Amino acid sequence: QLPMTAAPTADASAECVTRHKALGHKLGAIVTPDRHIGPVETFAAAAKDKRLKLHRDSFRDADFDARATLRTLMAMDPRPTAIVALQGEAAKLADAAISLKIKVPADLSIVAIRDRSATSPAVSAAFSTIHIDPRPMGELAASLLKTWLVEGKPLKADRRLEVGSWIERGTTGPAP
């Protein structure tokens, strides 16, 4: 039995929410494909736990229109002051913000969920990220497998392993 992880970005998500609340953000948005994505759901749970209101904007993968999404979100009353999205969508949202003359982070903060194992687009801005590094999970799994196969000691219980980290950069700012 190999190690199981639960909510491997829970601490990073909680740190991100705490920081945004400290900056005065009261309503955020999650822009996500309309399928289950673990780190997105973990962020939503952290926001709920810390009482940050969230608006969820879901789309089918092929149908994402960053400009239309931003127009819709910015027209809401009240409107979200921070958006969390997977890095590919975050990059498109940042580009759309430039074309719509929305200043990041003065008018809107953007957080990218960055999975190091996935190919991500080149971006012009240094995104604040919930960074996912799968290396620690692979190292732990290899070590436990080696212990099991070489020493005959099977894993007796699951291990919790945080593979996410909150990295604040230039796309996070105070709520307008």
Side-chain angles (χ1 to χ4, degrees):
Q1 181 180 3
L2 294 176
M4 299 297 292
T5 61
T9 58
D11 294 345
S13 293
E15 285 179 49
C16 176
V17 171
T18 297
R19 178 64 177 143
H20 279 82
K21 284 194 72 169
L23 290 169
H25 295 273
K26 293 181 172 66
L27 176 63
I30 296 177
V31 176
T32 182
D34 61 357
R35 56 187 158 80
H36 178 83
I37 299 172
V40 172
E41 300 309 321
T42 300
F43 180 85
K48 182 178 179 183
D49 183 55
K50 296 194 173 289
R51 295 188 172 100
L52 175 67
K53 293 180 184 174
L54 282 181
H55 169 79
R56 185 178 290 256
D57 190 281
S58 298
F59 59 89
R60 287 193 299 228
D61 283 315
D63 296 335
F64 183 61
D65 182 338
R67 288 174 57 98
T69 298
L70 272 184
R71 279 191 196 106
T72 299
L73 292 173
M74 297 302 280
M76 291 173 61
D77 186 22
R79 73 167 180 84
T81 56
I83 295 175
V84 175
L86 298 177
Q87 185 153 346
E89 285 79 26
K92 291 174 185 172
L93 289 164
D95 287 344
I98 291 168
S99 71
L100 295 171
K101 302 197 181 341
I102 298 168
K103 296 179 188 107
V104 175
D107 298 330
L108 179 70
S109 291
I110 300 176
V111 174
I113 296 176
R114 166 82 165 95
D115 183 348
R116 202 171 131 182
S117 67
T119 303
S120 296
V123 293
S124 58
F127 278 106
S128 294
T129 59
I130 296 173
H131 181 77
I132 303 168
D133 182 0
R135 180 187 295 210
M137 190 180 317
E139 289 172 346
L140 176 61
S143 173
L144 291 170
L145 186 58
K146 178 184 171 199
T147 301
W148 182 23
L149 294 174
V150 174
E151 299 173 23
K153 297 178 185 173
L155 179 65
K156 301 259 190 239
D158 291 342
R159 304 258 179 108
R160 183 182 187 284
L161 181 66
E162 177 82 15
V163 297
S165 58
W166 162 239
I167 303 171
E168 184 175 338
R169 293 192 181 106
T171 58
T172 293

